[in-house]
Amino acid sequence: MKRSNGLFIVLGMLTLVPVFSQNLVQNPSFESPVNWDEFWILSTTAPSSATAVAVENVTDAHEGLKSVELGNTVFNKWTYFYSDVVTAPISMMANKSYEVRLWIKSVEAGKGTDVSFAWNGGVDILTLYNGNPDPVTDPAWFLAMDTVTPAADVTDGYFSLGFRSDKSGPAAVGRILFDDFSVVRLPDHTATDIVAFSIPQQTGPASIDKLAGTIEIEVPIATDVTALVPDLITLSRGATVTPAAGVAADFTNPVTYTVTAQDGVTTRDWIVAVVFPPSTETDIINFALAAQTGPAAIDATNHTVNLQVYYSTDVKSLVPTIDLSAGASVVPASGVATDFSAPVLYTVTAEDTVTTQDWTVTVTLAPPSTANDILSFILAEQTGPAKIDNVLHNVIVEVTFGTDLSLLIPDIKVSRGATVSPASGIGNDFSAPVIYGVTAENGITKQNYIVVVMVSTISNLTDIVSFSLAEQASPAVINKVSHAVTIDVINGTDVTALQPTIGLSAGATVNPASDAVVDFTSPLVYSVTAEDGITTQDWSATVVELPSAETEIISFSLVEQVSPAAIDNVLHAVTVEVPYGTDLTGLLPGIGLSAGATVSPASGVAADFTLPVVYTVTAEDGATTQDWTASVAILPNTETGIVSFSLAEQAGPAAIDTLLHTISIDVPHGTDVTGLLPAIGLSAGATVNPASGAAADFTLPVIYTVTAEDGSTTRDWTATVVILPNTGTEITSFSMAEQAAPAVIDHTLHTVTVEVPYGTGVTALIPTIGLSPGAAVNPQSDVAADFTTPVVYTVTAGDGTTTMDWSVTVVILPNTESDIISFSMAEQSSPASIDTLLFAITIEVPYGTDLSSIIPTIGLSQGATVRPASGVGADFTSPVIYQVT
């Protein structure tokens, strides 16, 4: 069997949909006419013919027409039926799931049946069935199935169908049927679960939280977790995991395991943590009090803590800091104030919350101290730390230059428990040495200290006493409290490169230095260092440029202007030219001013420039003003338009093209164009040559030159007179050879009537038609037409557009003949003799005919009548006169 890696149906151009229902087994139902022995191999443990142990059963099949039947003629021997791994191997892909199934039916119970699916050289085996179907209790077909997910690609999968015969009497018995084998690829799962996780060291099953994606595994406390090797990681079907089972990982911190679903796309991270069981330790590791004289003595055997605090300590409310075994807790808790007048019992509970241990904590007072030293002596004015000599018992303090020694307040620290007199914080006059007495904690031991305060001869002053600029408008303002300098400079000063001269406290220096060129675009920090080289002070120097007093209009513009405004800075006048026709009553000027200046009326505010407008400019300083007069002048008209053109003869308004500068005007057909007198309307103030009203010959186009009001701008216009084609649609004459009289032409009703003699054939008369000049007619003149009914003639004028329908009627004149053309009666013996010249009729009747009342039948010319009438009896005893009309 050829390997199949999945069938793909192409839907559209790019979408590939995998089809998982393909059976990977060739001839699985034994329905193919091809001999199934080509795909299956028979093996028996005792010689036997193939037909005896493996046959096609055509009478009993699960579905279709055939099944395969196994048996054996040798008792207790196996017959195996293998799918051929050489000619028909079953191929599968790693981490993809396949459903393996077949149908089984016992026909005659044997001793045993074994159905397996194997791959990887037979090392990997999936047993689908291992038993002995009972035909009595289960005589029908039943399904054996399972799912396999190979860890690696498979190219040698095969079925093994085995049956072992039983013995009944002298012969081996048993027959088994198999049908509808299948190995079908299942759709890929998207599940990314870790179902089970274990490591050899764990003390119990892993705790797996599928919702949170976390796993927790407990190991003994002493376990080295830096290189644990998971021995089992069970995943969702077909999924893979990284790191894999069998790979060592450091679980000092939680480890992330990434599970990739069978589809190869869906992933999920799982956090696996190794934890230790809760500790049972109940030790106090450390016990400390703020007032203790040394480390606590902790006895882990007797569970006691002893520590000493200073003599003056109030033991009724001490706050201990307690360190315990990992995870343990203690009552009273660390940080809780406790009365240590007597030993205190502390109960430590281990991390496991079960194990406890009582500890006795005893606090004792140390003996009162005999120490009587001055540890520190501080004055706000001192230049550095005091020099304290605890052997000679003196204190020397230097204070800053200029300090008044008559009342200084010292901050004094002495030995623990000791007191000092005069007390710390009490002011003293240090103009001369001062004696301070220190009494030890024991109240007995006393020591006098001589304190000498000396004033430094080096200045610590950091003042800026003067600040000047060549450009300044007034002296600088120096604020010694806020350490700020402000100085005004005249308007227009370039503040990016100023050179201030700076006066300082005696001996002080400044950075940047005095007379250094600096940028004052923003406030500048000057750092002053006192003469002592230590004391510093930052000063902020701000240069303020005074507002401008300029009141100039530097630009003035209108949307309508034809050129830049003329600005006269001496006369303080502005003149702007605008095109002819501009409405001056609501112009919006844009006005540019001196820096910081304002103007009234404001820039952008509409103004009426019919007369000059006064604009008042106020300088940036808010005080200086200047009036400016703004005038708008309208330029002469430059338009060279012809706005109207008319002729007395025109057939419609002139067409004036202002882009091509042409004029076209129609006149009726027949107009004499050699001396027409046009009336010409022009742009305001313009003139034209030839002049309006001057006769011109328009046989050819005429050039008219228009000169604008400004006298210089000109424009040529081409005027063309177009003679319209004739629009006449008249029939002026209509004749035909047969007519009895001239045609009657009605120009109002547009009809033509032609009379023709009686008897004229009107189905093909040929009229000759006269028309308006240039016109045409349809049907055409001299073309035969059937005038049995009126004929419509359409006349199209010479302009090719105007049409008129004419109705032409041919009238046949009445018959003028008054002949008797036949005369008969019932009694006649021969036809009547009719003489049309003598107007006499002779008719013979048999002898004896009664002539007094004979009824004749009379034939007349068409349309004629006769008296007496035909069919009316008459007395022919004498001739009868018949009058024919």
Side-chain angles (χ1 to χ4, degrees):
M1 177 183 285
K2 295 181 181 179
R3 177 174 180 176
S4 173
N5 285 321
L7 175 64
F8 288 83
I9 300 174
V10 179
L11 302 178
M13 293 300 293
L14 295 175
T15 305
L16 298 180
V17 179
V19 177
F20 295 108
S21 60
Q22 182 189 22
N23 190 355
L24 305 184
V25 182
Q26 291 189 22
N27 195 21
S29 304
F30 304 100
E31 304 299 328
S32 172
V34 178
N35 187 347
W36 47 264
D37 283 342
E38 294 182 11
F39 303 105
W40 299 85
I41 300 172
L42 179 66
S43 172
T44 60
T45 56
S48 179
S49 67
T51 57
V53 297
V55 296
E56 287 183 316
N57 189 317
V58 297
T59 61
D60 195 351
H62 170 248
E63 289 181 351
L65 302 175
K66 299 178 183 180
S67 64
V68 61
E69 176 183 321
L70 292 187
N72 201 332
T73 57
V74 180
F75 163 64
N76 202 29
K77 297 299 182 181
W78 284 97
T79 298
Y80 287 99
F81 201 55
Y82 298 98
S83 63
D84 194 339
V85 74
V86 176
T87 62
I90 299 171
S91 301
M92 297 182 292
M93 290 186 288
N95 298 312
K96 303 299 180 183
S97 296
Y98 298 82
E99 183 182 73
V100 183
R101 56 192 297 169
L102 79 159
W103 290 84
I104 306 173
K105 182 177 182 180
S106 174
V107 178
E108 183 180 85
K111 192 171 184 179
T113 301
D114 177 76
V115 179
S116 301
F117 178 72
W119 67 96
N120 191 19
V123 174
D124 295 319
I125 299 176
L126 173 69
T127 300
L128 271 74
Y129 184 79
N130 187 358
N132 185 16
D134 185 346
V136 177
T137 59
D138 190 6
W141 286 97
F142 67 92
L143 176 65
M145 63 180 292
D146 206 340
T147 300
V148 59
T149 306
D153 286 350
V154 173
T155 59
D156 62 351
Y158 64 92
F159 268 114
S160 169
L161 311 178
F163 178 74
R164 185 167 58 162
S165 63
D166 201 352
K167 186 173 179 65
S168 177
V173 297
R175 289 185 300 148
I176 192 81
L177 301 182
F178 299 104
D179 202 357
D180 292 338
F181 307 94
S182 65
V183 179
V184 176
R185 165 86 181 275
L186 296 175
D188 285 344
H189 274 205
T190 58
T192 52
D193 289 336
I194 292 180
V195 179
F197 194 103
S198 67
I199 57 177
Q201 297 86 347
Q202 68 191 47
T203 58
S207 174
I208 299 177
D209 187 334
K210 290 186 177 181
L211 185 62
T214 59
I215 299 173
E216 191 172 272
I217 303 175
E218 184 181 288
V219 296
I221 290 177
T223 303
D224 178 5
V225 299
T226 60
L228 297 181
V229 180
D231 56 358
L232 173 66
I233 305 177
T234 304
L235 308 169
S236 299
R237 190 185 78 193
T240 58
V241 65
T242 302
V247 176
D250 183 355
F251 285 93
T252 303
N253 295 309
V255 177
T256 298
Y257 281 80
T258 300
V259 177
T260 301
Q262 190 175 37
D263 64 5
V265 177
T266 309
T267 63
R268 186 185 189 188
D269 287 342
W270 288 75
I271 306 301
V272 181
V274 170
V275 299
F276 297 104
S279 172
T280 59
E281 294 183 358
T282 55
D283 289 333
I284 290 179
I285 308 301
N286 185 45
F287 196 102
L289 295 169
Q292 69 191 50
T293 59
I298 300 174
D299 188 334
T301 301
N302 296 314
H303 305 103
T304 61
V305 177
N306 292 286
L307 72 164
Q308 185 185 74
V309 295
Y310 290 107
Y311 174 78
S312 58
T313 303
D314 179 6
V315 298
K316 291 183 178 181
S317 183
L318 297 180
V319 179
T321 299
I322 310 171
D323 295 330
L324 307 170
S325 300
S329 61
V330 63
V331 177
S334 175
V336 173
T338 305
D339 184 355
F340 286 96
S341 300
V344 177
L345 185 67
Y346 279 83
T347 300
V348 178
T349 301
E351 185 182 28
D352 65 3
T353 72
V354 176
T355 309
T356 63
Q357 179 63 57
D358 289 338
W359 289 74
T360 301
V361 178
T362 303
V363 175
T364 58
L365 293 175
S369 173
T370 59
N372 51 16
D373 293 330
I374 288 179
L375 304 179
S376 68
F377 194 98
I378 300 171
L379 294 170
E381 300 80 359
Q382 68 193 46
T383 60
K387 297 178 180 179
I388 302 173
D389 189 333
N390 287 311
V391 176
L392 299 177
H393 303 104
N394 58 45
V395 176
I396 299 174
V397 184
E398 183 183 73
V399 294
T400 58
F401 175 81
T403 300
D404 180 3
L405 302 182
S406 63
L407 183 61
L408 300 179
I409 300 173
D411 180 7
I412 309 170
K413 296 291 188 297
V414 296
S415 298
R416 176 179 289 274
T419 59
V420 63
S421 178
S424 175
I426 301 299
N428 265 312
D429 182 357
F430 287 94
S431 301
V434 178
I435 295 176
Y436 280 82
V438 181
T439 302
E441 187 179 33
N442 61 10
I444 299 172
T445 311
K446 185 175 181 180
Q447 180 63 56
N448 288 332
Y449 279 79
I450 298 174
V451 177
V452 177
V453 176
M454 297 182 298
V455 179
S456 174
T457 59
I458 300 174
S459 173
N460 63 349
L461 298 180
T462 54
D463 290 334
I464 288 179
V465 297
S466 66
F467 195 100
S468 62
L469 292 166
E471 300 84 355
Q472 68 189 47
S474 59
V477 176
I478 300 174
N479 189 325
K480 293 186 177 182
V481 175
S482 61
H483 302 100
V485 177
T486 303
I487 188 167
D488 295 336
V489 294
I490 58 177
N491 183 264
T493 299
D494 179 7
V495 298
T496 63
L498 297 180
Q499 191 173 0
T501 299
I502 307 170
L504 306 170
S505 299
T509 59
V510 66
N511 183 36
S514 177
D515 299 321
V517 176
V518 289
D519 182 355
F520 281 100
T521 303
S522 56
L524 186 65
V525 174
Y526 279 88
S527 181
V528 178
T529 302
E531 184 183 24
D532 62 11
I534 298 172
T535 310
T536 62
Q537 178 63 57
D538 286 342
W539 289 73
S540 175
T542 303
V543 171
V544 178
E545 182 183 354
L546 292 179
S548 172
E550 293 184 358
T551 54
E552 300 300 316
I553 289 180
I554 57 177
S555 67
F556 194 100
S557 61
L558 297 169
V559 173
E560 299 82 359
Q561 71 189 44
V562 296
S563 60
I567 300 175
D568 189 328
N569 292 311
V570 176
L571 299 177
H572 302 102
V574 177
T575 303
V576 185
E577 291 181 335
V578 295
Y580 174 83
T582 301
D583 180 5
L584 303 183
T585 61
L587 300 181
L588 302 171
I591 308 172
L593 305 169
S594 300
T598 58
V599 65
S600 179
S603 175
V605 173
D608 183 354
F609 285 94
T610 305
L611 296 175
V613 177
V614 174
Y615 283 87
T616 300
V617 179
T618 302
E620 185 181 28
D621 62 10
T624 309
T625 62
Q626 177 63 56
D627 288 341
W628 290 71
T629 300
S631 302
V632 174
I634 299 177
L635 294 177
N637 193 358
T638 60
E639 294 180 355
T640 55
I642 289 180
V643 297
S644 66
F645 194 99
S646 62
L647 295 168
E649 300 83 355
Q650 69 191 45
I656 300 175
D657 189 327
T658 58
L659 294 178
L660 299 177
H661 305 100
T662 60
I663 300 164
S664 178
I665 189 166
D666 296 336
V667 295
H669 179 79
T671 301
D672 178 7
V673 298
T674 61
L676 299 180
L677 304 172
I680 307 172
L682 305 170
S683 299
T687 59
V688 65
N689 184 36
S692 175
D697 181 357
F698 285 95
T699 305
L700 296 174
V702 176
I703 302 297
Y704 283 86
T705 301
V706 178
T707 302
E709 183 185 32
D710 65 3
S712 58
T713 308
T714 63
R715 169 69 66 187
D716 286 342
W717 291 75
T718 302
T720 302
V721 172
V722 178
I723 300 174
L724 294 176
N726 194 350
T727 59
T729 55
E730 299 300 316
I731 290 180
T732 57
S733 66
F734 197 99
S735 64
M736 53 183 63
E738 297 82 356
Q739 68 189 44
V744 177
I745 300 174
D746 188 328
H747 294 282
T748 302
L749 299 177
H750 302 101
T751 60
V752 178
T753 304
V754 183
E755 292 180 338
V756 296
Y758 175 80
T760 301
V762 298
T763 60
L765 299 179
I766 301 173
T768 297
I769 307 170
L771 304 170
S772 297
V777 66
N778 185 35
Q780 294 179 2
S781 178
D782 300 320
V783 173
D786 183 355
F787 286 94
T788 305
T789 57
V791 176
V792 174
Y793 280 83
T794 301
V795 178
T796 302
D799 63 4
T801 303
T802 309
T803 63
M804 178 59 69
D805 288 339
W806 291 75
S807 177
V808 178
T809 303
V810 172
V811 179
I812 301 174
L813 293 176
N815 193 352
T816 59
E817 293 180 355
S818 57
D819 292 333
I820 291 177
I821 58 177
S822 68
F823 197 98
S824 64
M825 55 186 63
E827 295 84 355
Q828 71 188 41
S829 58
S830 59
S833 173
I834 302 173
D835 188 335
T836 57
L837 295 176
L838 296 176
F839 303 105
I841 301 170
T842 302
I843 189 167
E844 292 180 347
V845 296
Y847 178 81
T849 301
D850 181 4
L851 301 178
S852 62
S853 182
I854 293 177
I855 300 173
T857 299
I858 307 170
L860 304 170
S861 298
Q862 184 173 347
T865 60
V866 66
R867 286 184 181 181
S870 176
V872 176
D875 184 357
F876 285 95
T877 306
S878 57
V880 178
I881 294 175
Y882 282 87
Q883 185 177 16
V884 179
T885 301

